Amino acid sequence: MASVLLYHVVGDLTVGKPELVEFCDVETVESAIRAIGGSTECGIPVWKRSSHVGMIENNEMRQQRFVGILTSLDIISFLAKTQCLEDQDKAMKTQVSDVVVPNNTLLKIVDPGTRLIDALEMMKQGVRRLLVPKSKVWKGMSKRFSILYNGKWLKNIDNGSSNNLIANANRPSSSSAAAYMRDKFCCLPREDMIRFLIGCLGALAPLPLSSISSLGVVNLNYSSIEASLPAVEATQKHPGDPTAVAVVEVTQDGRHKILGEISASKLWKCDYLAAAWALANLSAGQFVMGAEDNVSSRLLPDISVNSTVEDNKVANGGGSARARKFSSRSIGFNPVSPSFGMGRTMYRGRSAPLTCKTSSSLAAVMAQMLSHRANHVWVTEDDNDDVLVGMVSYADILVAVTKQPAAFIPSTRSITELASEIQS
């Protein structure tokens, strides 16, 4: 286990982080769309409104108010329902409490002095966000002070007591217990953990040079849907972590050729109403490949997207609203291929799935995820870019970096080869 994970604490990652602004479950879907578009991830934490007005709230009370994380795919799946398509205005004014999937375990409140190794263990067990008090006197911890602050926890590792380790991580120190009530909070997603790890690759050696296959990082239990099936069936797959479903073509030998994906990250900053219509009316292949204006109108009837903008133009004397055909560009996709089933070998663009090979190094995959702001990468065969074998997510990477050195086979590649791979 890398010592850097023992010598640093969660508070080291909170320096410069903005204060958390709670998004309440009584807000509307329309407000949630704006909040997700302005957030640093494709999902936002949702909270119940505090009923203790004027009362100092402790951590347990705040934790109980947390409802779950609302993603872009959750909203689009809701808007794709028949009753929502028939009355979009009513759907946009629906409270998010009717849309968000309740899961109180996705967020955990921790003390700033919690060691990174303890935080990683929590995230490996399903926690996606850490809520950390932002103390006014917090300036970040040096390695030396971090060791002293967590000395009693380091002893637990020597005794092999992982349960005590987690329990102590959740318990605030006596010196900070009083400040705990007064502090404002910031939110640490798993992306911040990955960004920290990629900033100290040398301390993690030889892990960064090792291939994801040798580390056992490739997750074979991924969700997928055949391209010919209705796109809306992807929402019935109930993908867990990450919220992504691969759209595939099944070959004669039973292998999966990946065409795209239906995921929260791909639909992060899209036209939600247009995407909802497409999800309800198109096949999965048409949805991810993009259906352009030259596709038969029998398949794609005229629809009016961005209706609010068009209505405003009418009200201001700017002309009548003009219905236009659904296009991949209207939901944020911009592929080169004109339609599903045509020129798939030339298919590229924003809708292309993010992929790597089984021989890709862990460092290259981490850099790929951060540069694309994605929480997962699809893994394909080394000799065939289209054949899907699995996926790598944040959780898989966190498992890899906390493995014991004897649990993987080091790679023989040089630093120069690794650098060229990351740049490519």
Side-chain angles (χ1 to χ4, degrees):
M1 185 180 299
S3 59
V4 68
L5 303 179
L6 303 175
Y7 296 162
H8 281 273
V9 293
V10 169
D12 295 334
L13 277 63
T14 64
V15 178
K17 293 289 291 184
E19 178 188 344
L20 170 72
V21 178
E22 291 187 358
F23 189 87
C24 294
D25 60 351
V26 296
E27 297 284 348
T28 64
V29 168
E30 187 175 12
S31 299
I33 292 175
R34 290 195 296 266
I36 292 176
S39 68
T40 57
E41 285 197 301
C42 55
I44 53 173
V46 177
W47 305 80
K48 294 179 182 178
R49 192 181 298 276
S50 178
S51 59
H52 306 283
V53 181
M55 177 180 176
I56 297 179
E57 187 178 47
N58 59 31
N59 291 343
E60 184 178 354
M61 295 163 60
R62 183 180 290 268
Q63 181 74 54
Q64 290 176 351
R65 285 199 301 108
F66 173 67
V67 179
I69 295 178
L70 180 68
T71 69
S72 55
L73 186 57
D74 293 330
I75 295 179
I76 292 172
S77 299
F78 169 75
L79 294 176
K81 295 180 179 180
T82 303
Q83 62 270 28
C84 294
L85 292 175
E86 292 175 350
D87 191 346
Q88 292 181 340
D89 290 337
K90 180 180 179 181
M92 294 292 278
K93 291 179 173 58
T94 303
Q95 292 187 357
V96 297
S97 57
D98 297 331
V99 182
V100 64
V101 179
N103 190 342
N104 187 260
T105 64
L106 298 181
L107 178 142
K108 194 169 188 62
I109 303 175
V110 298
D111 186 87
T114 303
R115 294 178 307 165
L116 284 187
I117 186 60
D118 299 333
L120 293 182
E121 289 295 333
M122 296 177 201
M123 289 184 166
K124 283 166 56 178
Q125 296 172 14
V127 176
R128 299 186 191 177
R129 309 282 179 97
L130 295 177
L131 199 62
V132 188
K134 285 181 65 71
S135 172
K136 295 181 181 179
V137 298
W138 184 263
K139 301 296 182 182
M141 284 189 174
S142 66
K143 292 182 179 180
R144 179 179 301 176
F145 184 70
S146 182
I147 297 174
L148 296 175
Y149 189 90
N150 297 281
K152 58 180 180 181
W153 297 341
L154 290 175
K155 294 177 183 178
N156 289 333
I157 289 186
D158 298 333
N159 297 332
S161 176
S162 58
N163 292 333
N164 290 338
L165 182 148
I166 298 295
N168 285 329
N170 298 334
R171 185 185 305 122
S173 64
S174 57
S175 61
S176 63
Y180 226 73
M181 300 295 188
R182 300 191 301 269
D183 281 336
K184 297 178 180 179
F185 290 80
C186 66
C187 202
L188 283 182
R190 292 173 298 180
E191 181 182 351
D192 287 343
M193 295 293 181
I194 302 298
R195 186 174 290 108
F196 172 83
L197 293 174
I198 207 170
C200 53
L201 293 179
L204 297 174
L207 272 172
L209 297 174
S210 304
S211 68
I212 55 176
S213 58
S214 67
L215 293 172
V217 175
V218 181
N219 188 347
L220 306 180
N221 298 320
Y222 58 88
S223 299
S224 65
I225 182 175
E226 290 190 37
S228 59
L229 296 176
V232 72
E233 291 190 12
T235 63
Q236 302 169 7
K237 296 289 182 178
H238 301 292
D241 181 26
T243 310
V245 179
V247 178
V248 300
E249 251 185 0
V250 181
T251 61
Q252 293 182 348
D253 57 0
R255 298 192 297 177
H256 286 177
K257 297 184 67 175
I258 185 168
L259 302 178
E261 67 176 58
I262 299 176
S263 65
S265 58
K266 279 293 181 184
L267 299 170
W268 181 2
K269 299 177 185 291
C270 71
D271 185 321
Y272 282 65
L273 293 177
W277 180 92
L279 190 69
N281 291 276
L282 301 182
S283 70
Q286 288 172 330
F287 185 87
V288 299
M289 298 296 286
E292 300 302 321
D293 290 340
N294 59 357
V295 178
S296 169
S297 59
R298 178 177 59 85
L299 292 176
L300 300 174
D302 287 349
I303 61 170
S304 177
V305 295
N306 293 329
S307 57
T308 303
V309 176
E310 296 292 346
D311 291 343
N312 289 338
K313 290 182 179 178
V314 174
N316 296 328
S320 61
R322 180 174 62 89
R324 58 188 176 91
K325 297 181 188 296
F326 165 75
S327 168
S328 61
R329 293 176 180 84
S330 69
I331 60 172
F333 289 169
N334 188 21
V336 171
S337 178
S339 65
F340 169 64
M342 301 173 59
R344 286 195 298 270
T345 57
M346 297 180 64
Y347 165 61
R348 294 295 184 269
R350 290 177 59 187
S351 56
L354 189 63
T355 62
C356 67
K357 298 182 181 296
T358 55
S359 59
S360 298
S361 68
L362 181 65
V365 172
M366 292 166 62
Q368 195 176 12
M369 294 171 72
L370 289 178
S371 62
H372 289 269
R373 303 303 302 272
N375 54 16
H376 64 281
V377 177
W378 301 103
V379 184
T380 61
E381 293 182 350
D382 284 343
D383 55 351
N384 195 326
D385 292 340
D386 294 331
V387 177
L388 182 64
V389 297
M391 72 184 311
V392 176
S393 66
Y394 282 153
D396 300 317
I397 292 177
L398 298 182
V399 170
V401 298
T402 54
K403 279 185 177 180
Q404 296 299 325
F408 60 87
I409 303 174
S411 171
T412 57
R413 284 182 292 176
S414 65
I415 295 293
T416 302
E417 293 173 330
L418 175 61
S420 62
E421 180 181 352
I422 294 178
Q423 292 176 358
S424 63

